[in-house]
Amino acid sequence: MRTPFTLRFLAAMPRSGWIAMGLFAAITLVLMPALHLFVPESHPLHVSNYVITLGGKIMCYAIVAVAMDLVWGYGGILSLGHGVFFALGGYAFGMYLMREIGTDGSYQSHLPDFMVFLDWKELPWYWAGSDSFLLTLLLVLAVPSLVAYVFGYFAFRSRIKGVYFAIITQALTFAAMLLFFRNETGFGGNNGFTDFKRILGYDITSPEMRATLFALSALVLMLTLLVGRYLVISKFGRILAAIRDAESRVMFIGYNPLHYKLLIWTVSAMLCGIAGALYVPQVGIINPGEMSPANSIEIAIWVAVGGRGTLIGPVIGAGLVNAFKSYFTVAFPEYWLFFLGALFVGVTLWLPEGVVGLWKRIKARGKA
Amino acid sequence: MNSKPVSVEAENQGGEGSAQVVGHVLQPGVDISHKVILYLEDISVSFDGFKALNNLNMTIDAGELRCIIGPNGAGKTTMMDVITGKTRPDSGTCFFGQTLDLTRMTEPEIAHAGIGRKFQKPTIFENHTVFENLELAMKTDKRVWASLFAWLDREGRDKIADTLKLIRLDQEADRQAGLLSHGQKQWLEIGMLLMQEPQLLLLDEPVAGMTDDETERTAELFKSLAGKHSLVVVEHDMAFIEQLGGKVTVLHEGSVLAEGSLAKVQADQRVIEVYLGR
Ligand SMILES: Nc1ncnc2c1ncn2[C@@H]1O[C@H](COP(=O)(O)OP(=O)(O)O)[C@@H](O)[C@H]1O
Ligand SMILES: [Mg+2]
């Protein structure tokens, strides 16, 4: 007898998980946007621009963290280059945002400002179609996953693993950063894209737009968690974990690890791309700095802090580290990287299973 | 002497490039029309100039239970590595039945063609439950897409339950496999092998670390499998080999030193010198 797919899906999470998800949905899809839009600014319950933007930004990071956990926590593949997929999604959507500026830029040209500045007379061929919203959505999905697929195919086929894999992913994001730094590449050089005006004709700074982007980020985060949950409890997920633990055994019982790694790797990159596309209109800028090696390492730290292999852990990790970061970088901007390094060492030494692991231990002790 | 394998290139066997055929449910199946399931001919493997296998020749009949003995470093494990695609031989041919050239297939392709292997050091999935270990090994469509939507049916559950009973782990089904005793892990790995329903089973020191009672039961199990399956068992335990009662091959420095019944081999002067006498 075959269980219907929807039933299987419902069984994927315990009841408490669904309740938590429902609460999260109520808060992020209804409550927060309503408090932002309909409560006057003078009122203490008003949710400010700052909060709604920070929240949306952190949820984008959380999507990246979950995507990272799928490959690292469940697949045992440590990537230190996930920032590149995030940035590619961001750039893909950024191109559309640049085109939406129209002739409202400083040079009043139909070309993006940086192209006028470089004295370019027309759009490069790869900007064709960037004014179409639908085509842009397609690019957001296709570009990061295609890059990941090709890169992953060669890396996994050559059976590159562990530290070696981590190092070449660092090289990948570094190389991409250098490429995007060049003005000739056609993506705005080191300034990247900024000064966005509109999405689909609507003002990008309006409260309605902010609330919409915030709610969309929450929605994508929830979908990411659901898809992730299905993946890891399916037979696919058990095989993935088996590859992580004893790859040769998996091969000798007849599975080809290449295809399994490639699928989770590509899905993960695609999720990062979507997160990047949601992130860019909320923060209002994308530049090659997003591809810096340190950025990708930070993603791994969110996951380590929250707890690998738990799905909810990375969300908590991304939230905690970034909430703290937005305070810290204002109070002691020079010391952030040192702090981040110390955090990583500390978590590795004392909290190998992250915050979620700590919580489980406390709960277990409470019962004993 | 057996007839030479006809080197018919079955389709889809182009080595690395043909990884996509892995996992097909419809397999060509091994051709044992000449009553032989495995041919090893003039196989040589060297590691940094050291010859681990040196012109090794051996054939295994369909349904046979063959024991391989020999001192440590004789090349027994390396031979299994060659058969299962883990190590590519420097020279020589290795055929599964009449048509499948194992030296040109990947590990999963070989597994899917019907060769199962138990490692010298028990390798199971320690973080998965005993039940899940068997579930993952079960013969089925092993491509990604199938695994994404796979759901264990009644028949699959029954098969796993049967195997659990056979390997006497039905009480431990939901236990994490890493928590089992050494002997139980050996049994679990054997169970995983059975779930694959292979034609040829390669067992590298399967009773190491087992109690006498467990060893005896293992011998019974292997004897019951012979006939329908072909088995190649590497062991040091002479009592166990005697119990199995099959033909014995003695490996020494990467080639066959002697072959025949256990009694005949034990009486061989050279075998006594290099192995039994010590
Ligand atoms: N990957 C390897 N690299 C170098 N030497 C190896 C490797 N695998 C096996 N050997 C050597 O080949 C010889 C045969 O090893 P093995 O097949 O494991 O012997 P056995 O299983 O009969 O004890 C040993 O001397 C071993 O050290
Ligand atoms: Mg050995």
Side-chain angles (χ1 to χ4, degrees), chain B residues 99-119:
Chain B
T99 53
L100 300 175
D101 183 353
L102 296 176
T103 60
R104 307 184 59 164
M105 294 163 72
T106 63
E107 293 98 322
E109 284 172 326
I110 291 171
H112 217 269
I115 298 181
R117 171 177 191 181
K118 204 203 93 47
F119 288 90

Side-chain angles (χ1 to χ4, degrees), chain A residues 66-120:
Chain A
V66 174
M68 172 78 171
D69 191 38
L70 286 175
V71 290
W72 186 27
Y74 293 92
I77 304 164
L78 172 58
S79 162
L80 294 179
H82 254 46
V84 80
F85 305 125
F86 179 77
L88 285 175
Y91 267 104
F93 197 68
M95 288 164 83
Y96 168 79
L97 292 173
M98 291 306 273
R99 296 295 297 278
E100 275 285 282
I101 296 172
T103 51
D104 290 346
S106 342
Y107 297 105
Q108 268 112 56
S109 159
H110 72 282
L111 287 181
D113 278 355
F114 74 89
M115 290 188 193
V116 181
F117 190 74
L118 291 172
D119 211 18
W120 291 6

Side-chain angles (χ1 to χ4, degrees), chain B residues 71-78 120 204-205 234 236:
Chain B
N72 276 328
K76 305 180 296 289
T77 300
T78 306
Q120 186 167 344
D204 203 347
E205 309 199 6
V234 166
H236 288 294

